[in-house]
């Protein structure tokens, strides 16, 4: 399965850590963590489906 | 929509899962909480005033731990007293019709144990079917139950997920739509204030840029989702 690159994962984790540390209370931390989970999930789905957008007929990977 | 969460637990303060859910509701939602054990101990259940209370809300949630495949006895007592006063039943039944009834059920077991061939051999839909029939009788819109499983084994990240999903359920009654849930989270992120985070001016700029990125990624995902629906 196509996966996010290590660099992308690292970037996401760093940003997630930054947001978590900024949260002043547990519910805000929960919201930010959940937002990052969704972000990661959607980024992963888009990665898997790369090339299926914009007509779904071709993928730049195949060029 | 106004939501009332009716909690049936013998000792709310002693329950980690229930207090977590109550604090979540207080922080993220405008739902009102009613601890019926405390109410019963204080004044008993008075059908007329309880019926009047219920009629003020659009969505009523019964929240309880599952004990021997049932709700704690206090919920049965509440239903018997409040919903079955024959002198008032007809008028009340007419007025309460069309409201939503949801369930929040806390389970000690794993969800996969509730299925044919599983440890308990019955699904949660079967176990909770009495509430569905009850909703049908009173013409309430029965919502898919919100199930909390193995709360005490949850990691911090799982608790964060539970917190937001539960708040979403109380505010929308929905357990199914991922797209609407994403929109809900996005809305909460938009409303974040200085009271909730220690952000410098630069941090806010970065945060706003990230929100725009999340927005863009969500739109792309939505496009994919719509496309897969067309193909499907």
């Amino acid at each position: 399965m196509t996966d996010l690159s290590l660099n992308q994962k690292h970037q996401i984790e760093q940003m997630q850590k930054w947001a978590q540390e900024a949260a002043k209370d547990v519910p805000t931390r929960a919201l930010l963590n959940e937002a990052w989970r969704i972000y990661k999930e959607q980024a992963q789905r888009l990665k898997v489906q790369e090339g299926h957008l914009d007509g779904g007929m071709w993928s730049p990977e195949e060029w | 929509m106004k939501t009332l969460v009716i909690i049936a637990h013998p000792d709310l303060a002693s329950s980690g899962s229930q207090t977590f859910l109550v604090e979540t509701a207080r922080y993220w939602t405008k739902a009102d909480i009613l601890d019926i054990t405390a109410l019963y101990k204080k004044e008993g259940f008075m059908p007329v005033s309880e019926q009047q209370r219920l009629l003020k809300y659009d969505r009523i949630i019964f929240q309880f731990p599952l004990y021997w495949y049932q709700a704690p006895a206090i919920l049965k007592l509440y239903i018997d007293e409040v919903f079955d006063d024959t002198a008032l039943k007809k008028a009340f039944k007419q007025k309460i019709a069309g409201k939503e009834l949801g369930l929040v059920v806390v389970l000690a077991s794993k969800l996969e144990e509730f299925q044919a061939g599983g440890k308990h051999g019955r699904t949660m839909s079967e176990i909770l079917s009495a509430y569905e029939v009850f909703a049908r009788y009173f013409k309430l819109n029965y919502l898919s139950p919100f199930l909390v499983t193995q709360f005490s084994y949850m990691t911090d990240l799982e608790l964060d997920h539970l917190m937001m999903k539960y708040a979403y359920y109380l505010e929308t009654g929905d357990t199914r739509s991922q797209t609407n849930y994403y929109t809900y989270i996005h809305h909460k992120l938009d409303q974040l204030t200085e009271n909730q985070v220690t952000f410098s001016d630069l941090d806010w700029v970065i945060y706003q840029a990230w929100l725009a990125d999340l927005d863009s990624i969500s739109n792309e995902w939505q496009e994919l989702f719509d496309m897969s629906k067309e193909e499907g």
Side-chain angles (χ1 to χ4, degrees):
Chain A
M1 191 177 88
T2 316
D3 211 349
L4 292 175
S5 70
L6 276 178
N7 193 31
Q8 281 173 307
K9 276 186 183 167
H10 181 69
Q11 261 181 352
I12 289 174
E13 278 161 17
Q14 285 305 306
M15 286 287 285
Q16 188 174 5
K17 197 168 164 233
W18 160 77
Q20 276 173 12
E21 284 169 0
K24 284 184 183 175
D25 55 32
V26 171
T28 305
R29 189 205 66 198
L31 171 66
L32 292 170
N33 265 338
E34 186 65 350
W36 280 107
R37 190 193 63 77
I38 290 169
Y39 182 88
K40 232 183 318 191
E41 186 180 279
Q42 291 183 334
Q44 177 66 57
R45 282 176 177 165
L46 289 174
K47 182 76 182 163
V48 170
Q49 296 291 326
E50 201 167 50
H52 289 211
L53 287 172
D54 303 325
M57 297 301 289
W58 62 274
S59 164
E61 304 279 320
E62 290 164 10
W63 282 29
Chain B
M1 278 195 132
K2 286 186 74 183
T3 300
L4 175 66
V5 184
I6 296 176
I7 302 181
H9 191 284
D11 183 12
L12 180 57
S14 72
S15 164
S17 56
Q18 294 296 335
T19 46
F20 175 88
L21 296 174
V22 167
E23 290 309 314
T24 296
R26 286 191 179 134
Y27 190 97
W28 286 119
T29 81
K30 288 180 179 156
D32 288 327
I33 307 285
L34 178 65
D35 173 0
I36 53 173
T37 302
L39 176 69
Y40 187 72
K41 283 179 182 166
K42 192 176 165 197
E43 58 193 39
F45 297 140
M46 291 182 279
V48 177
S49 61
E50 278 312 301
Q51 289 180 355
Q52 283 168 351
R53 186 205 304 269
L54 293 175
L55 292 175
K56 288 182 201 158
Y57 295 89
D58 309 296
R59 181 178 300 123
I60 297 157
I61 308 278
F62 291 158
Q63 179 172 308
F64 55 87
L66 199 69
Y67 291 164
W68 292 113
Y69 311 110
Q70 297 174 70
I74 193 76
L75 183 59
K76 178 70 166 66
L77 190 60
Y78 182 86
I79 290 171
D80 286 350
E81 297 274 331
V82 177
F83 284 81
D84 206 26
D85 186 274
T86 48
L88 296 164
K89 196 164 74 175
K90 199 173 171 187
F92 176 63
K93 195 178 168 185
Q94 281 173 350
K95 285 181 189 164
I96 205 163
K99 295 182 186 293
E100 293 180 351
L101 178 70
L103 303 178
V104 174
V105 185
V106 179
L107 310 167
S109 302
K110 292 177 186 169
L111 196 55
E112 55 262 36
E113 292 176 355
F114 291 95
Q115 58 182 324
K119 184 178 173 186
H120 304 292
R122 290 289 182 275
T123 64
M124 281 308 294
S125 290
E126 288 173 304
I127 289 168
L128 299 173
S129 62
Y131 298 98
E132 192 183 353
V133 181
F134 170 81
R136 180 186 287 265
Y137 180 84
F138 282 96
K139 294 187 167 55
L140 302 168
N141 296 321
Y142 185 66
L143 306 172
S144 289
F146 182 88
L147 306 175
V148 180
T149 56
Q150 298 209 298
F151 176 85
S152 51
Y153 296 112
M154 283 185 179
T155 63
D156 283 350
L157 279 179
E158 287 167 338
L159 288 172
D160 292 344
H161 179 62
L162 169 65
M163 178 179 280
M164 299 317 301
K165 286 295 260 191
Y166 173 70
Y168 174 67
Y169 184 70
L170 295 192
E171 294 204 288
T172 66
D174 180 35
T175 56
R176 287 175 292 192
S177 171
Q178 281 292 85
T179 312
N180 291 348
Y181 178 61
Y182 294 164
T183 307
Y184 176 81
I185 292 294
H186 209 123
H187 182 64
K188 295 284 186 204
L189 291 168
D190 281 337
Q191 290 178 324
L192 212 64
T193 67
E194 288 171 356
N195 294 332
Q196 293 168 287
V197 281
T198 47
F199 277 169
S200 67
D201 288 348
L202 178 62
D203 287 335
W204 278 110
V205 173
I206 296 170
Y207 179 70
Q208 292 302 331
W210 177 68
L211 279 189
D213 196 18
L214 180 63
D215 208 19
S216 141
I217 219 168
S218 297
N219 289 339
E220 274 191 75
W221 182 80
Q222 186 62 44
E223 196 182 329
L224 257 181
F225 182 71
D226 292 343
M227 207 166 71
S228 66
K229 270 200 299 193
E230 282 167 21
E231 285 170 359

